[in-house]
Amino acid sequence: MSHSVVSARSRCLDWAFAIAGGGAAVGTLGTLAWIIWDLIRLGISGITWNFLTGEVESAGRGGGIGPVVVSTLLILGCCLVVAVPAGMGCAVWLSEYVQRGSRLSRAISGGVDLLASVPSIVFGLFGMTFFSQVLGLGFSILSGGLTLACMILPILVRTTLSALGNLPSDLRSGAAALGLSRITALQKVLLPAAMPGVLVGIALGVGRALSETAALVFTSGYSTRWPASLGESGRSLSVHIYDLAMNIPNGSSNASATALVLLILIFVINLTATGVADLWMRRLSATE
Amino acid sequence: MSRSSTDRFFGLILGGVAIFSGGLVLLIVGFLILGSFPILESGRLANLFTDETWRPGSDRDPQFGILPMLVASFLVTLLAIGIAAPLGVASSVFHHFYLSEQLRRWNRRMLELLAGVPSVVFGFWGLTVIVPAVNRIEPPGQSLLAAALVLGLMIVPTVALTSQAALGAIPNYQLLAAAGLGLGRGQTILNIALPASRNGIMGGILLAIARAVGETMAVVMVCGNIPEMPSSLFDPVRPVTATIALEMGYASSTHQALLFAAGLLLVLATGAIVGWLPFRRNENESAVG
């Protein structure tokens, strides 16, 4: 076996991986480009100020998405008001109050991990029976928001937990040396330091909540009127896209425009979050 | 004194929140069991697998055959992961061994964007692009193949991002040793990197499978929604998730209980997949240590 044969074969293998891998990488990102290109092509002409703020007319074929935008924001608001404190509280308790590795803390993290694996349609079933029927909220923005809160809770717990876990240990010993109580140490030292990580988690949660459709169809419902209260039904942007594409003949041009609006919203939130995370990681590694 | 009592007070509140968060999944499963009780009670559970057709709402002759839907879920998931796993793993190998630091950051960021595209947008895109393309090969277009393609592309980022992390976690000395032995890039990938990161990559594939099994919106818009056993790739199908989404709005009594039972089945399936992950991870760690 001569050396040149081995190295020729080895070089072939190098190229094989380069071509297969490069093809896969380009293909994957190509899909993203293709989706964005299609939505821009089909949707950009539909996006005007009147479209963003106008009434929904003839079941969505005409008019705008004003009430849908407002409902979406209200659903998101309900969701965050519940999910952010609950998720942060759970993470703070797991990280600062209970002994790590104890049976209770493992049971709780296991439960949160399992919650993350529950399919969104099942959250829809749960929200419909628990919030809409048992608690009597009906098809309402509140019911949809609470359902989404359950869904994004694991994201917030995980990100807050890892943000607290990544803090330099001098912060904790420093706070203890100053004689701060646990709650003061959290309030003045640990949570402010972990804030960028928590904000990234919130952004991820917002992205997930804005994307969600299946959990909202049976909880916040289909109404296209301007929502007057949290007890009323109101459809989100995602539900609007689904309804226009599936149930409304000739609805696809407004569906494209709405999809483009949603995609832009999510991309902006996503890029901001990863930007903040990058900055924070760099600063953390600089201080160590 | 008062300081420690406020501490204890907050501790209690936070503990309550934490126990609620951890127990929420039990509450959800409890509601599903409660909701599916009528069908367990009626003693017609076996009909789910013996009935030929799906007509659960019919008064005179209700038929509960759920098998075509289970088969549809299974096939769509299998085909989707068959698309996503090779694409995702190959792209992560390229990412790790062929790209510069700068390009890697861009590739990861773009993959994260793709992962963030809402499933309803994927479904809509599938409906306007993939379905007509499949229709040109063989009508009607809304089919097993279309659902698998859309879902497959959707879960590629899950596989790719977790595989990247797994490849990045390989201890550097192994790669240095490979270089010291004069192994080429391809040989290092094939003989060192892929075997060493096998567990992490498998974990990513399992996560992607769990996501595919539970996905509703991207599938319901392109699969055709006919609850019959498919005989070819071009036949319309209806997976379990799509059935729940389409029928929950009007289902009542036994029919509704059936949909809850279907939801329970989904949670058990995804829970089993994801619950299995930590054990794999532990194995991995003990193998390294």
Side-chain angles (χ1 to χ4, degrees), chain B residues 63-187:
Chain B
Q63 295 270 312
F64 298 157
I66 198 179
L67 210 54
M69 270 100 77
L70 291 178
V71 169
S73 274
F74 178 76
L75 287 178
V76 169
T77 304
L78 191 73
L79 290 169
I81 202 71
I83 295 166
L87 267 179
V89 173
S91 114
S92 70
V93 163
F94 187 72
H95 171 93
H96 202 76
F97 287 93
Y98 291 86
L99 290 182
S100 66
E101 186 61 40
Q102 184 80 14
L103 282 172
R104 266 191 231 175
R105 197 176 308 141
W106 271 102
N107 187 40
R108 190 172 313 123
R109 196 161 284 181
M110 289 298 121
L111 280 174
E112 280 165 2
L113 276 191
L114 185 62
V117 172
S119 55
V120 70
V121 172
F122 259 104
F124 175 66
W125 177 74
L127 191 62
T128 51
V129 176
I130 302 283
V131 167
V134 174
N135 182 48
R136 241 168 280 140
I137 306 170
E138 194 178 316
Q142 295 197 320
S143 58
L144 177 58
L145 181 64
L149 279 171
V150 171
L151 195 56
L153 290 174
M154 194 176 129
I155 60 176
V156 170
T158 309
V159 179
L161 288 167
T162 46
S163 301
Q164 279 171 20
L167 287 172
I170 296 173
N172 208 24
Y173 67 84
Q174 295 194 1
L175 300 178
L176 287 175
L181 287 170
L183 291 185
R185 235 191 294 216
Q187 285 175 324

Side-chain angles (χ1 to χ4, degrees), chain A:
Chain A
M1 187 165 72
S2 80
H3 278 281
S4 65
V5 173
V6 172
S7 71
R9 197 193 292 158
S10 151
R11 217 172 300 141
C12 270
L13 202 58
D14 286 4
W15 276 104
F17 271 108
I19 291 167
V26 169
T28 307
L29 296 191
T31 313
L32 178 66
W34 190 4
I35 292 174
I36 295 174
W37 168 244
D38 269 328
L39 287 182
I40 291 177
R41 194 168 52 87
L42 298 168
I44 193 81
S45 61
I47 301 181
T48 58
W49 182 249
N50 285 339
F51 177 74
L52 293 175
T53 57
E55 301 257 3
V56 179
E57 283 162 25
S58 63
R61 259 164 299 201
I65 53 170
V68 181
V69 172
V70 173
S71 299
T72 306
L73 294 178
L74 288 176
I75 293 170
L76 191 61
C78 289
C79 163
L80 292 180
V81 161
V82 175
V84 171
M88 284 177 71
C90 177
V92 164
W93 196 71
L94 284 176
S95 150
E96 311 294 324
Y97 280 80
V98 73
Q99 202 180 354
R100 218 161 294 177
S102 73
R103 198 173 292 174
L104 185 59
S105 101
R106 268 189 316 191
I108 289 175
S109 343
V112 171
D113 282 349
L114 274 182
L115 189 63
S117 79
V118 172
S120 58
I121 184 79
V122 171
F123 278 104
L125 278 180
F126 168 71
M128 187 187 81
T129 40
F130 185 58
F131 297 120
S132 298
Q133 291 168 5
V134 174
L135 298 186
L137 297 174
F139 281 123
S140 65
I141 288 169
L142 192 57
S143 173
L146 291 174
T147 306
L148 290 189
C150 298
M151 204 181 80
I152 68 165
L153 189 64
I155 300 177
L156 294 164
V157 174
R158 285 285 145 230
T159 46
T160 310
L161 207 51
S162 78
L164 285 170
N166 280 336
L167 293 179
S169 58
D170 351 345
L171 281 184
R172 273 188 196 84
S173 37
L178 286 172
L180 297 183
S181 71
R182 240 193 309 216
I183 195 75
T184 320
L186 270 169
Q187 212 179 352
K188 303 279 185 208
V189 183
L190 298 175
L191 282 180
M195 225 5 140
V198 176
L199 286 178
V200 170
I202 294 175
L204 287 176
V206 168
R208 180 79 207 279
L210 283 176
S211 313
E212 188 45 45
T213 314
L216 290 177
V217 170
F218 307 119
T219 52
S220 55
Y222 274 101
S223 167
T224 53
R225 276 167 305 165
W226 292 97
S229 78
L230 296 181
E232 279 184 18
S233 164
R235 64 166 70 172
S236 69
L237 287 167
S238 54
V239 173
H240 193 55
I241 297 167
Y242 172 63
D243 193 47
L244 282 180
M246 291 294 283
N247 305 329
I248 310 292
N250 301 323
S252 79
S253 71
N254 267 359
S256 313
T258 314
L260 189 58
V261 170
L262 182 60
L263 204 62
I264 291 170
L265 209 60
I266 285 173
F267 279 4
V268 167
I269 291 167
N270 238 325
L271 288 173
T272 317
T274 46
V276 170
D278 276 4
L279 258 178
W280 189 47
M281 288 314 284
R282 228 171 290 158
R283 198 183 306 167
L284 261 187
S285 54
T287 54
E288 262 163 24

Side-chain angles (χ1 to χ4, degrees), chain B residues 234-250:
Chain B
F234 299 96
D235 279 354
V237 292
R238 190 157 92 181
V240 177
T241 49
T243 307
I244 300 177
L246 290 168
E247 299 183 356
M248 205 56 216
Y250 63 87

